[in-house]
Each structure stands twice: as C-alpha cells, then as structure tokens.
Amino acid sequence: MAGPNLLIGNGEVLAKPTDRKTGGSNPSRFVYTMEQARARLAPALAEIALALDQLPAGAKPYGQGTVVMTIHPRHLAKTRMPHHLLKYANLKMLGSKGAWIVPERDLPGREKQTPQAAAEVYLAAQSDTLRMLKRLLMDDQANKELQRDFRTIERIRLLQPAERLLNLEGDDAQVDLEIVLHGEGSDDVLLDSLEAYAADCGVQVGRSKLLSVRGLVFMPAVAPRAKLDSFALFTALRAVRRLPELRMNRPTIRTQAEGEAPALPQLDCVDPSLRVVVFDGGLGVKDFGRWCKEEVPALLDSTKADYLLHGNEVTSALLFGPADQGAVLPQPYFNVEHHRVIGSANEVDVDLYDCMHRVDAVLRSGEVDFANLSLGPRMCMDDDQPHAWTAMLDRHLGKGRTFMTVAVGNDGTLQNDKGRIQPPADAVNALTVGSASSRSEFMWGRADYSCYGPGRTPGLVKPDGLAFGGTSQEPLVLLNPFARGLTGVQGTSYAAPLALRTAAGARALCAKPLTATALRALMIHKAERSENDDRRQVGWGRFASNPEDLLTCGDHEVSILYQGHIKAGGRMRIRVPVPPVAMGVKLTITATFCFSSPVDPADPVSYTQHGLTIYFKRKDDDPVPFFSLGDHEGEQELRADGNKWETVLHKTAQFEASELLDTYFDVDHGARRRGMAVENKHTASLPYVLVVTVASAKGEQIYQLVRQRYTQLLPVELRTRIRLGT
C-alpha cells in the first residue's frame, strides 16, 4: 500500500539568480529648504551644547552627551539617512528607536495631522562637536551632500534624564534595577566612569554580572530611590528600569490527574545524534534516564520542589507529549539534555543574571540543534527598549544553527497591554509559543492566560503560534515522576516543548537533516488558521502536533521546500510549479518565507540586518508585492506594517489556474547596519527558506500531476525503517 505524499524537498532546482533591473532611485524630495533647516536647527544645536557643558564632568564619559536626532518620516530609507553628516562630524551612532510624530512640515499633497512613523537616532557628541555642526549648518560653502543631510532632520535635542527612568513607580527606599548602557562590555573607561559616578550617587552596580551585546551593556544595580534622578544624568545610560521577577509557569496551576500512569516505552530514541537542550528547573529523579541527562551546576544542588516539578513536566512534554493517549508512552524521537539553570541560589540571584549567563554559556558552544526555554523575566515587552534576554538569544539564533522555542508567558489576563508577550518571546529568530485553549479540531483559540501580541516591528507577528497547553476545563495531562504519577497542568511552559517536539521529531524522521530555518518555516506554514483569526491572539495559527504533518500533504495539494542563498543586493527568481489542470480550476497558493538574521539590539527600529522584498509574477501581469495589501509610499509605510525586514512572511491567495502560467517570485535581498546602507560586496549572502503549497480549491488530485510535470522535483528522504501513517 502506498504511503502518504511526501513534502518535496529540493525546490531550489526551480530557483536561479537573475539580474535586478532598476530604473534608478527616485531623487529625494526635501520637505525643508536649507534656510528653513538653519532656522529650526541652529538654536537647538546651541542649546544642546550649553546644556552639555553644564552637566557634571563625572556624568559625561569621554565628555560626551547623548543627542537624539529625529529623522523626518520622508527620509527613513537606509539610503536617505544622514550618513554623510555623521561621518563628516565623526558622530558615533549609539542606537535608535521608533517614534510617531506629526512633522512640522511635509511634502505638498502629503500633509497629515495624524502621527507618522519616524526614527530617533541616538548619537554621542561633545559640546565642541555640536558647535562645529552649527557652524557647518550656517556655511553656504558646505558640501552639498552635507546640506542635504541637514534637510532630512526633523528635530534635534539632548536625551533627558527622565526619559531613561522607566516603570519605577513605588515608594520602596531601595530599588532593584536593571541598567542599560550604550557601549561595549570591553570598554573599561566607560565602565570605570559608570562605577565611579554610581558610587557618588550611592548606587551599587553589578559589573561582574554584565551582559554585553552589540552596542549595549546590561547589568543589575541597586539604587536609593532619592538618588535616581541624579543617577539618570549619566549620559551613556539608555534605560534604568525595575528588575522583573522570574516567570516559570506563573501563576502555577497544577492538579493531580486521575487514572493509571502509562508505562514508559522500552525503546531507545529514533535519532540519538540530535542535541536537544532544555533550560529549566531540573529533574531530581532518574526515571527518564534512558533518554535524558541532567546537568546540574554545583551552586544549584540545593533547589525547590516546585522547580523540579516544572522541569519534569517540561521534559515529559518534550519527550512523550500528552500522557493520556494510551497505555504506553510513545517512543521518543530524540534524547534530551536538561540543564538546571535555577535553584535555591536564585533567591539571592534576584536579577536572574546568573540564570541568563548559564543559558548563554550552553548556547555559546554552537553545537545545539534544538532548545526550549519556558522561563524568563516576568514583564511585558517594551517596543522601544530591548531586553538582555532577547538580545542574548537573538545573537545566538541569528546564525541559523539552532531551532529554539520560547514560552510567551502566562499573564494574558492582565489589562492595559500588561498581558503582552514577555521577553525573550519577542526574539525575532526564535519560535515563540502561546497556549491554545483546546485540542478540539474546530473550537479553539488563545487560552485566556496566554500572553498575546503584537511584537515590535520587525517581529510584529508574535506569538508565532499556539500549541495546546491546557486549561482549567481541559488540563494537559503529563507524566511527572517527581509527582509520582500523572499531573494536569496548564501554561505556555508546556505548549512550547510540545511545539519543539513536533519540529525536532520531523528532523529525526528525515534521512537528510532539515535546517533550523526550514523547520521554523514548516511549523508556521503548516499551522492551522482561519481568515478571521486575529494574529495578535493566535500568531500564524495552531501548530501541528504530529511531526508527520510537516512532511506530508494530501492528494489535492503539493508542498515544496526551497532552500538557498541570495547575495546582498541580488535577486533570486523562484518558480512555482503549477499542475496541468482543466480550465476553470481554481488553485490556492500559500507561501512562507523565513530566514534568520543577525540583529542590532541598540536599534529596535532597525533591529534586523537583513530583509527581503518579494514580488509575485503571474501570466502577463507585471510583478506585484505578494505579502502586502498594496504598494507602499515609502520606507515609513514598510516600517509601519513591518513587511520588508520581517524574518517571517506568510500569505495565502487564490487564482484561476489559467492565470498561473509562468508564475514565479522575484526575491530581492537588502542589507543594512544600524539602519544605514552597507556595501553589498562586503556583506554575506543570506540563507533563505521558502515553503510553497499549491492546492486545488475543489479537491482535484494534483500531487502526482506536479511530480509528473516537474520530474526534477524529489520528495524528502525518510530514515530507514521509518514508515509514516497513511
């Protein structure tokens, strides 16, 4: 008997590089004349220089202040940013954040009284540099490129101390803080200056625990509330915020489930070569020892029962899935390496930095295939200020080596957006998982406790999707040997490892490895959803629970996996296989693009360093954008809906089959650093993944038609002795 139709695994044979024909860039149209720019900016530059002179010397590392330059909404494209001016004045770009402003002026016919997307660029400058900029601004003989750059600036100001103090309400005399610095962890002059000034303010900083990522330094601190305003004068500070507490399936909801526990399988795992890591509270028992090894740091020998309960449940979900499906648990697809990253020592590690560094150390090994994180800081994400956990994870995952699931948190019932996803679930390179309310085929949605989206832009669609994590009416039943039986649980902590089990299981079934990015694309592509689903609630949909679902398709459809590289500044033409069907047949095309990207943590508005612009061509029509509702006016609209720099793009559209002759995607790869243009010849190619499903609207059998027409397309190969269900 023939098995199910397998995913086509070599779609890249239908792709090839092609010339990127352009008609030349449109000449910039400036909102402000040079005279208007001088009248607006000269007084501001003089005022900033004077204010900087008046700051205490100890509050100004290198004698510099942080200047905020707001770029007009019409000049947000990477090629229109004022890079000539920054280079000429030797202004160091520290970072940026998004802003919504009503500009003082706009182009004729485009005047709007509603806020528009803009960028606030953070620059390090001395007062002498600011006075030089003022002279340059007033100089009629200045280089024309510099004059044009001045005309892109909407406003310029000094970053104020109050802007650095975030969410510090309360009356506690001593405040546990997380501080964020612009700079590098290797800059001893900066860190020495911080320690000295902090000591003058009575602030204790945890320099020994710092985490450094590109352009930012994070560390814990303790400060007298009365000294916060003085401490916030330190010019290299980006943010001073309250330390969050640990979230590990909080609030904890667990019940003893009825019934006899199923037996453990008497089989080794399917693929022992995979390195699958869990970061959690530990196991403390050896019941899963055949498939699981626990790593326990010496400092964490002492722990709490609740941590061990949680660690056992997360690991059980990952190894076996729900425990109410039969008398014997299924054979695991892989072995698990459980790293205990919290314990009783975390009662004094109130900042959770030790916990974060333990996760960082394992990921730095670079040999992790899959990982799950069901804990982190209990706080909702901030659109403008990056978090240490998120920056750390994206630094590792941006290499595309590791597939990682992250639970979004369980505070979804909080009001006023306090129930948004919690760091590091805003990581753009992770698969972030919320909890579905039911395993029912039709009646499901977001569980009310599951944190919701959106994420920031880029990374707008968060969570990426849902998996069943249990509810009070329908608990998720897991085997927990530490609890001596079955437990009924609910929480995104358990939804995340269930999603990871699907992805890692699919790789275990394949003879040739699927990449982390390919699996992320397949998970999103195969998620079930309806047109009316709110992405802020369910992301891209409910993930498949069976690994086989990622690798198979029905007779009425064909799914193709493409994997390749696109040069920076280059174009890839990717053809879509269309079956030979009768006139009048309607075909649905579902496409998912996915890539992993290095990030600039100090620049939330320009967080990802790579982006794809994708056009869809059918029959005699001109290529049109596929992943947007229509043409964009410019970079600000792309920023507003996030398409260009998103690491995941997904859409479904229906066409008459006759419209799809000679159908292809043209994919352009754009690169940037800190929002600025880069030299393409010095930029690495981008590994991309595309999954396309072509389906007949009325069930016509097209899988074999495509295989017969495109003989070069081959299905994925399964491991020996693996037979999928039919």
Side-chain angles (χ1 to χ4, degrees):
M1 181 177 178
N5 300 321
L6 292 175
L7 168 76
I8 301 298
N10 67 331
E12 57 272 13
V13 299
L14 301 181
K16 64 178 182 179
T18 189
D19 291 336
R20 186 173 176 176
K21 298 177 182 179
T22 61
S25 58
N26 294 326
S28 295
R29 298 174 62 194
F30 293 94
V31 174
Y32 298 110
T33 65
M34 197 60 201
E35 290 72 23
Q36 290 169 335
R38 287 168 176 162
R40 300 173 68 258
L41 301 179
L45 288 168
E47 181 181 331
I48 295 169
L50 180 60
L52 188 54
D53 284 338
Q54 294 172 346
L55 285 176
K60 297 180 292 188
Y62 298 105
Q64 296 174 330
T66 299
V67 175
V68 182
M69 181 183 290
T70 304
I71 308 302
H72 192 282
R74 299 297 165 198
H75 299 285
L76 295 183
K78 63 183 182 180
T79 56
R80 297 183 182 181
M81 298 288 277
H83 55 279
H84 299 292
L85 182 61
L86 303 188
K87 183 177 181 180
Y88 180 87
N90 199 27
L91 288 167
K92 181 181 179 182
M93 186 170 175
L94 300 173
S96 65
K97 72 179 186 69
W100 290 87
I101 66 169
V102 178
E104 184 178 316
R105 297 176 64 90
D106 211 334
L107 295 174
R110 293 192 176 184
E111 296 90 346
K112 299 178 181 178
Q113 294 305 310
T114 55
Q116 302 177 51
E120 292 187 340
V121 179
Y122 293 171
L123 305 168
Q126 296 178 337
S127 54
D128 287 347
T129 302
L130 295 166
R131 293 186 175 97
M132 181 273 290
L133 279 176
K134 181 184 175 184
R135 292 193 297 272
L136 185 65
L137 174 67
M138 306 305 293
D139 185 0
D140 288 332
Q141 304 304 313
N143 182 297
K144 296 299 182 185
E145 287 181 335
L146 299 179
Q147 291 191 10
R148 286 195 291 269
D149 280 358
F150 276 120
R151 295 168 65 189
T152 67
I153 301 170
E154 176 63 22
R155 63 176 71 107
I156 190 167
R157 60 184 178 83
L158 194 65
L159 186 66
Q160 296 301 304
E163 297 179 74
R164 301 183 174 106
L165 300 175
L166 307 174
N167 303 319
L168 293 173
E169 299 82 2
D171 54 7
D172 40 342
Q174 294 287 321
V175 188
D176 291 325
L177 302 172
E178 179 178 56
I179 60 176
V180 187
L181 288 172
H182 284 123
E184 303 296 335
S186 58
D187 188 343
D188 288 333
V189 173
L190 170 65
L191 298 179
D192 289 345
S193 298
L194 171 69
E195 280 193 311
Y197 185 75
D200 290 343
C201 296
V203 177
Q204 301 174 29
V205 296
R207 182 172 177 176
S208 64
K209 292 188 175 185
L210 70 80
L211 177 83
S212 179
V213 295
R214 189 196 310 265
L216 292 177
V217 178
F218 301 85
M219 70 179 75
V222 180
R225 178 171 292 278
K227 292 290 187 178
L228 286 175
D229 289 339
S230 298
F231 180 56
L233 289 172
F234 191 76
T235 58
L237 285 170
R238 178 177 179 128
V240 179
R241 57 194 176 203
R242 188 181 293 276
L243 269 174
E245 63 178 331
L246 171 72
R247 65 170 169 94
M248 191 178 67
N249 197 37
R250 292 190 178 180
T252 301
I253 302 175
R254 180 183 294 113
T255 59
Q256 196 75 28
E258 296 181 358
E260 184 176 348
L264 292 172
Q266 298 302 308
L267 295 168
D268 293 332
C269 72
V270 174
D271 186 356
S273 70
L274 296 180
R275 188 182 180 196
V276 182
V277 170
V278 167
F279 301 108
D280 215 275
L283 298 174
V285 291
K286 302 292 186 181
D287 299 60
F288 297 157
R290 183 170 185 168
W291 313 277
C292 187
K293 177 178 67 173
E294 183 181 7
E295 300 288 346
V296 183
L299 288 175
L300 299 182
D301 276 339
S302 175
T303 189
K304 292 183 174 183
D306 195 46
Y307 294 164
L308 297 177
L309 285 167
H310 188 269
N312 274 271
E313 288 157 351
V314 167
T315 303
S316 179
L318 182 55
L319 283 172
F320 308 113
D324 55 357
Q325 306 294 302
V328 180
L329 291 173
Q331 176 188 14
Y333 294 106
F334 41 77
N335 293 326
V336 170
E337 196 176 298
H338 187 118
H339 286 262
R340 187 184 296 187
V341 293
I342 55 172
S344 296
N346 287 94
E347 293 175 8
V348 295
D349 177 32
V350 294
D351 47 62
L352 300 183
Y353 270 65
D354 289 340
C355 177
M356 179 173 59
H357 281 300
R358 292 181 192 116
V359 175
D360 184 37
V362 175
L363 292 176
R364 258 191 281 121
S365 71
E367 300 299 325
V368 177
D369 297 309
F370 297 90
N372 180 79
L373 185 69
S374 291
L375 51 80
R378 191 178 184 187
M379 60 180 289
C380 64
M381 60 159 287
D382 186 325
D383 288 310
D384 297 326
Q385 304 298 340
H387 197 277
W389 282 81
T390 304
M392 179 269 291
L393 287 191
D394 268 330
R395 177 178 62 188
H396 293 298
L397 302 180
K399 302 170 186 176
R401 171 69 176 80
T402 302
F403 179 104
M404 189 169 193
T405 46
V406 177
V408 300
N410 299 319
D411 284 320
T413 57
L414 297 182
Q415 302 299 312
N416 301 321
D417 279 344
K418 297 297 184 182
R420 282 180 74 186
I421 59 171
Q422 299 174 344
D426 52 340
V428 297
N429 294 309
L431 190 82
T432 61
V433 185
S435 185
S437 59
S438 176
R439 284 186 288 191
S440 166
E441 183 176 357
F442 301 109
M443 302 300 292
W444 63 270
R446 176 183 67 87
D448 59 358
Y449 60 79
S450 182
C451 288
Y452 49 82
R456 69 173 60 84
T457 303
L460 188 64
V461 179
K462 293 288 179 179
D464 288 290
L466 309 180
F468 178 62
T471 64
S472 56
Q473 294 79 26
E474 187 182 348
L476 171 65
V477 178
L478 298 172
L479 177 64
N480 186 338
F482 193 78
R484 300 181 180 179
L486 298 176
T487 54
V489 298
Q490 55 179 301
T492 59
S493 284
Y494 314 116
L498 288 177
L500 182 62
R501 182 174 183 268
T502 299
R507 175 162 169 181
L509 294 175
C510 290
K512 294 183 179 179
L514 293 171
T515 66
T517 306
L519 288 165
R520 188 154 60 105
L522 284 167
M523 287 290 287
I524 290 168
H525 188 82
K526 295 286 189 173
E528 56 178 310
R529 66 187 67 81
S530 70
E531 292 183 3
N532 297 325
D533 284 340
D534 185 344
R535 288 182 182 175
R536 294 170 297 180
Q537 302 291 319
V538 305
W540 298 110
R542 186 171 63 172
F543 294 128
S545 59
N546 187 340
E548 296 183 10
D549 291 343
L550 302 189
L551 305 176
T552 58
C553 44
D555 290 335
H556 71 290
E557 62 184 358
V558 58
S559 295
I560 306 100
L561 173 68
Y562 303 75
Q563 300 181 85
H565 292 74
I566 309 177
K567 290 183 177 180
R571 169 173 289 181
M572 186 68 69
R573 179 160 293 174
I574 303 174
R575 297 196 175 276
V576 178
V578 178
V581 292
M583 294 289 291
V585 171
K586 290 186 177 181
L587 298 177
T588 297
I589 292 181
T590 300
T592 305
F593 277 91
C594 188
F595 61 91
S596 298
S597 175
V599 298
D600 286 317
D603 295 87
V605 71
S606 304
Y607 189 64
T608 50
Q609 293 184 0
H610 297 275
L612 298 178
T613 303
I614 300 166
Y615 299 95
F616 182 65
K617 170 70 168 63
R618 55 192 174 108
K619 203 174 180 182
D620 300 323
D621 295 338
D622 292 331
V624 296
F626 187 76
F627 294 98
S628 61
L629 297 178
D631 294 325
H632 297 286
E633 293 182 22
E635 183 77 0
Q636 67 159 323
E637 282 75 16
L638 285 171
R639 287 172 185 262
D641 71 8
N643 278 342
K644 186 172 184 179
W645 303 100
E646 294 287 343
T647 59
V648 175
L649 297 169
H650 176 90
K651 186 177 179 180
T652 296
Q654 190 175 86
F655 307 93
E656 294 282 347
S658 58
E659 298 179 84
L660 297 178
L661 300 176
D662 194 30
T663 296
Y664 56 80
F665 290 102
D666 271 347
V667 186
D668 296 343
H669 171 203
R672 61 183 177 179
R673 295 292 184 277
R674 317 208 77 167
M676 302 288 185
V678 297
E679 290 191 53
N680 290 327
K681 63 182 180 181
H682 298 313
T683 302
S685 296
L686 177 67
Y688 76 92
V689 170
L690 166 64
V691 184
V692 171
T693 294
V694 181
S696 59
K698 293 187 177 180
E700 292 87 353
Q701 297 190 4
I702 64 172
Y703 182 86
Q704 291 301 331
L705 292 177
V706 169
R707 290 290 312 280
Q708 292 164 8
R709 186 173 194 177
Y710 300 87
T711 56
Q712 67 271 50
L713 294 178
L714 300 174
V716 294
E717 296 181 37
L718 302 182
R719 296 171 67 87
T720 306
R721 297 189 299 277
I722 292 294
R723 182 177 178 84
L724 303 186
T726 56

